[in-house]
Amino acid sequence: QHDQIVSGVDWSKNSNRIVTVSHDRNSYVWSQEATEWVPTLVILRLNRAALCVQWSPKENKFAVGSGAKTVCICYYELENNWWVSKVIRKRHDSSVTSVAWHPNNIFLATASTDGKCRVFSTFIKGVDAKYVVNLPDAPADIKFGEQIMQLDLSFSWAFGLKWSPSGHTLAYVGHNSMIYFVEEVGASPSAQSVAFRDLPLRDILFISERLVIGVGFDCNPMVFAADERGLWGFLRFLEERKTTSSSLPYSSQVLSEKFGKLYGQSKSGLNNESASNAAAHENCITCIVPMKKRESSSEVVTRFFSTSGLDGRIVVWELAEEEE
């Protein structure tokens, strides 16, 4: 159905529906009928490309970020038997690269190439049940599209962002090789900035309230953890790789490898030792998603997750039990 690049896809596991968005400015919700997947067009009313999409936790809405500096909140209108959208406008100064739903199904966090992270209310009368706003200095009823918080921590493009399983912590990453952790979301949030010496991240995932996995241009998942005081820091790379001998100085070799991965260049001239120690990913990792056991009813993320990247690979990981 799409005639340009499909830039976002998400699956609702309970209702078994797939939503896709594309640079053609369209979105489709796919439902399975017998052995066929039947698409339903969603009216987005965008004049720029749709870039990302995600179902809400209750799967009664989904959010679409776009290059039109807007976010579309889409829901099913039973009377007319189609999907419609309400648009959050005049808030972003550039393209919306990522969206993330709070567990309460109302708050939505966005990341943008203007370097900012924002949190909005997506309450839609008749779609969402009334909820209690647990934010200081906040009105009892926050209307649709009202901005709850704006963070100007990153001075570069902001990419992936996620909420912790409880919704207490929000984390997002910038193209400046930094990751930001925000607590007490509201008028007066507390934030931590963690800088690392490696290439930037593109996406992140909370394994637990105190453990985060980040993936990006280093082609190797990075583990971040919080200590007893709640201070976050880089722990280690998830994949251990052997160093190979080279005639180049160490610093030149590292820079050459890193820039090669950043621009998608393939490695050449590998010897037998390095070939036997092939990395799980050989290009930028762009996505990380949790995997949950079918028989488990808990919404807490398990230690299993998968990653996919520009190398065309999908890799399933299992975190050591002692690190949960």
Side-chain angles (χ1 to χ4, degrees):
Q1 298 295 320
H2 293 291
D3 56 17
Q4 292 189 32
I5 292 174
V6 176
S7 50
V9 59
D10 196 23
W11 172 58
S12 59
K13 58 184 177 62
N14 296 320
S15 56
N16 192 30
R17 291 181 299 210
I18 298 173
V19 59
T20 58
V21 296
S22 168
H23 286 186
D24 61 12
R25 301 169 295 175
N26 290 327
S27 173
Y28 289 92
V29 174
W30 304 76
S31 303
Q32 190 173 22
E33 298 181 4
T35 58
E36 300 291 331
W37 286 90
V38 179
T40 302
L41 178 65
V42 183
I43 308 300
L44 296 180
R45 297 171 298 189
L46 292 175
N47 58 6
R48 294 292 186 275
L51 302 178
C52 55
V53 63
Q54 189 179 72
W55 286 101
S56 67
K58 292 184 178 179
E59 301 179 1
N60 61 341
K61 302 181 293 186
F62 60 87
V64 178
S66 74
K69 309 176 186 179
T70 59
V71 179
C72 301
I73 307 300
C74 306
Y75 60 97
Y76 189 72
E77 198 172 67
L78 188 61
E79 294 79 6
N80 297 313
N81 192 29
W82 61 8
W83 290 85
V84 296
S85 64
K86 297 187 69 173
V87 184
I88 300 175
R89 304 180 185 273
K90 299 180 180 179
R91 296 293 184 179
H92 300 89
D93 298 322
S94 190
S95 299
V96 179
T97 56
S98 184
V99 294
W101 287 93
H102 189 278
N104 67 7
N105 205 68
I106 302 296
F107 294 163
L108 179 75
T110 66
S112 172
T113 50
D114 61 12
K116 297 179 177 61
C117 175
R118 300 172 175 87
V119 178
F120 297 95
S121 168
T122 67
F123 179 80
I124 300 176
K125 188 176 181 180
V127 177
D128 298 305
K130 289 187 177 180
Y131 67 104
V132 178
V133 181
N134 295 320
L135 295 176
D137 304 326
D141 184 16
I142 300 180
K143 298 180 180 179
F144 175 86
E146 187 169 338
Q147 182 173 289
I148 298 170
M149 180 186 68
Q150 176 175 302
L151 296 168
D152 302 339
L153 302 176
S154 177
F155 294 97
S156 62
W157 292 1
F159 287 115
L161 74 168
K162 289 291 191 305
W163 295 90
S164 64
S166 69
H168 179 70
T169 305
L170 172 65
Y172 72 103
V173 296
H175 203 58
N176 54 353
S177 293
M178 295 189 72
I179 182 171
Y180 309 94
F181 297 92
V182 185
E183 297 180 356
E184 300 176 10
V185 172
S188 302
S190 61
Q192 298 180 40
S193 301
V194 178
F196 47 92
R197 63 180 182 178
D198 302 285
L199 296 178
L201 298 174
R202 286 297 306 268
D203 200 5
I204 52 176
L205 174 69
F206 274 90
I207 297 298
S208 67
E209 293 291 328
R210 302 166 64 91
L211 199 66
V212 168
I213 306 294
V215 295
F217 290 98
D218 259 300
C219 315
N220 191 348
M222 302 171 67
V223 183
F224 297 87
D227 58 17
E228 296 78 6
R229 299 169 297 172
L231 298 178
W232 290 86
F234 171 70
L235 189 61
R236 67 180 181 89
F237 280 102
L238 194 58
E239 184 180 12
E240 296 181 0
R241 301 177 182 175
K242 298 178 182 179
T243 58
T244 57
S245 59
S246 174
S247 58
L248 292 173
Y250 174 75
S251 58
S252 299
Q253 179 185 356
V254 171
L255 286 175
S256 176
E257 292 178 354
K258 288 184 181 293
F259 277 109
K261 289 184 287 186
L262 178 62
Y263 292 104
Q265 298 171 1
S266 60
K267 295 181 180 179
S268 60
L270 294 176
N271 55 29
N272 293 333
E273 180 182 357
S274 60
S276 62
N277 189 45
H281 282 286
E282 291 290 346
N283 207 328
C284 175
I285 306 174
T286 56
C287 183
I288 177 172
V289 294
M291 299 178 65
K292 301 174 184 177
K293 294 183 179 179
R294 183 179 295 272
E295 64 272 12
S296 175
S297 60
S298 174
E299 288 301 316
V300 178
V301 178
T302 68
R303 67 179 188 271
F304 296 93
F305 57 92
S306 66
T307 58
S308 58
L310 299 182
D311 54 6
R313 298 178 183 176
I314 299 176
V315 181
V316 178
W317 305 80
E318 179 182 5
L319 200 65
E321 292 186 7
E322 62 270 14
E323 291 192 78
E324 291 185 29

